[in-house]
Amino acid sequence: MQIKEMAGRPVPGTQALPAPGPGQVLVRIHAAALNFADLLMTTGRYQETPALPFIPGLEGAGEILAAGPGVDLTPGTRVAVQAQGTMAEANLFAAADCHPIPEGMGYDEAAGFLIAYGTSHFALTLRAGLRPGETLAVLGAAGGVGLTAVEIGAALGARVVAVARGEDKLAVARAAGAAVCIDSDTCPDLRAALRELGGVDVVYDPVGDAPGAAAFGALRAGGRFLVIGFAGGKPPALPLNHALVKNIAIHGFYWGGYRKLDPALLRQDIQALFALYAQGKLRPHVGATVTLDRLAEGYDLLESRRSTGKVIVST
């Protein structure tokens, strides 16, 4: 296998890797994104934690250096990758997990695009069926997935209520399209605050715990509750009797699960998102960038919830 060289030298990390097999590509990673799932994996609490030892990172972006038999992607193609092992200078991936990125999209933007935007777009459109004019409450609205839910919800014509901690984070959510902002640090009763706004039709909840339960209590009859994650530490205690009486639908949504459940539908949704980006309708927010040797600092930003948007690791 001939490995592409940069500046006259072999690409770092490729010498120890085997040649791509059937359906595989070798990718030089330029940027990778941190996700809350990475933190859960460190303690074995994620639903798909790989066996030790493993390379962290669930998504990234880079350039294809070599392709195995039966692969349509060619060397030089810039791709976003959604697969385990992106926190590396180079790695082998299944070609099916690599998606050509639009012209004009930088590696930093592409590295954190698939999971966050994919989660929000798929959940809001295909699961919750969000309609123009409805009210959408987004918890953790300045975080990696929450901010994309604000942006996509506003683009779909919903009235977006952003819930986040502190004015700095709310300013980011406001810039992404939030019509109403609630500071969770100073709001004594989230359920009451949402009810004062007239209630909500859809709750997008990547936080869980008490905030999730409070937002659930503000859902109107026929509302939809999206279970996205548990950054607050544990799932919300949802009163199912209220769900029954008010005809509320509770949708669990795990974007990565659709790689097996319905990969064709997942790829279709990804292409729709890239099209929206190419049309200038999506503006990925990179809150912080660290180098690979400062990976621990990136994890600390994520765990302490001091970041907004995505935390990107430059390799």
Side-chain angles (χ1 to χ4, degrees):
M1 175 185 63
Q2 293 184 341
I3 298 297
K4 191 173 181 179
E5 295 190 353
M6 294 183 179
R9 294 173 299 175
V11 176
T14 59
Q15 298 92 333
L17 293 171
Q24 288 185 320
V25 290
L26 174 63
V27 179
R28 164 70 166 106
I29 299 293
H30 288 275
L34 294 179
N35 288 279
F36 197 77
D38 295 308
L39 290 174
L40 296 178
M41 283 186 184
T42 63
T43 55
R45 291 181 294 146
Y46 194 59
Q47 58 262 28
E48 291 187 359
T49 298
L52 294 172
F54 66 87
I55 298 173
L58 293 173
E59 61 179 338
E63 178 186 2
I64 291 179
L65 300 178
V71 174
D72 293 333
L73 298 171
T74 58
T77 302
R78 300 186 324 126
V79 293
V81 181
Q82 201 282 299
Q84 183 70 49
T86 56
M87 295 294 172
E89 293 175 317
N91 211 343
L92 289 171
F93 300 101
D97 294 330
C98 300
H99 308 270
I101 58 180
E103 186 175 348
M105 177 179 269
Y107 286 123
D108 283 5
E109 289 183 320
F113 189 81
L114 292 180
I115 293 178
Y117 277 99
T119 294
S120 294
H121 188 263
F122 204 126
L124 291 173
T125 58
L126 297 176
R127 298 306 298 269
L130 182 67
R131 297 183 289 270
E134 289 192 314
T135 297
L136 165 68
V138 180
L139 306 186
V145 292
L147 193 59
T148 63
V150 171
E151 189 176 5
I152 291 172
L156 293 172
R159 176 198 186 204
V160 180
V161 180
V163 182
R165 302 175 63 183
E167 181 51 39
D168 289 347
K169 290 186 176 182
L170 291 177
V172 173
R174 195 175 293 113
V180 181
C181 291
I182 296 176
D183 188 340
S184 57
D185 275 344
T186 60
C187 178
D189 190 335
L190 178 59
R191 181 176 67 172
L194 292 172
R195 284 182 170 180
E196 286 177 8
L197 295 172
V200 299
D201 300 291
V202 177
V203 171
Y204 182 97
D205 179 21
V207 177
D209 209 352
F216 181 89
L219 278 168
R220 298 168 177 157
R224 289 87 76 200
F225 188 92
L226 290 166
V227 182
I228 303 299
F230 314 118
K234 59 182 180 181
L238 303 181
L240 297 185
N241 56 321
H242 290 189
L244 185 153
V245 172
K246 297 174 69 175
N247 288 298
I248 290 172
I250 300 171
H251 296 284
F253 184 75
Y254 169 41
W255 186 83
Y258 273 83
R259 296 168 65 193
K260 294 180 180 177
L261 184 63
D262 195 334
L265 186 59
L266 189 66
R267 294 187 73 87
Q268 178 182 322
D269 193 65
I270 289 171
Q271 293 308 310
L273 281 168
F274 279 139
L276 288 172
Y277 176 90
Q279 295 164 18
K281 295 182 179 180
L282 300 178
R283 301 178 303 279
H285 177 80
V286 175
T289 302
V290 299
T291 52
L292 188 58
D293 60 336
R294 294 170 52 209
L295 180 58
E297 295 177 34
Y299 280 128
D300 184 62
L301 280 173
L302 196 65
E303 188 169 23
S304 64
R305 303 184 195 176
R306 289 182 286 122
S307 61
T308 59
K310 298 293 288 191
V311 177
I312 300 299
V313 178
S314 174
T315 63

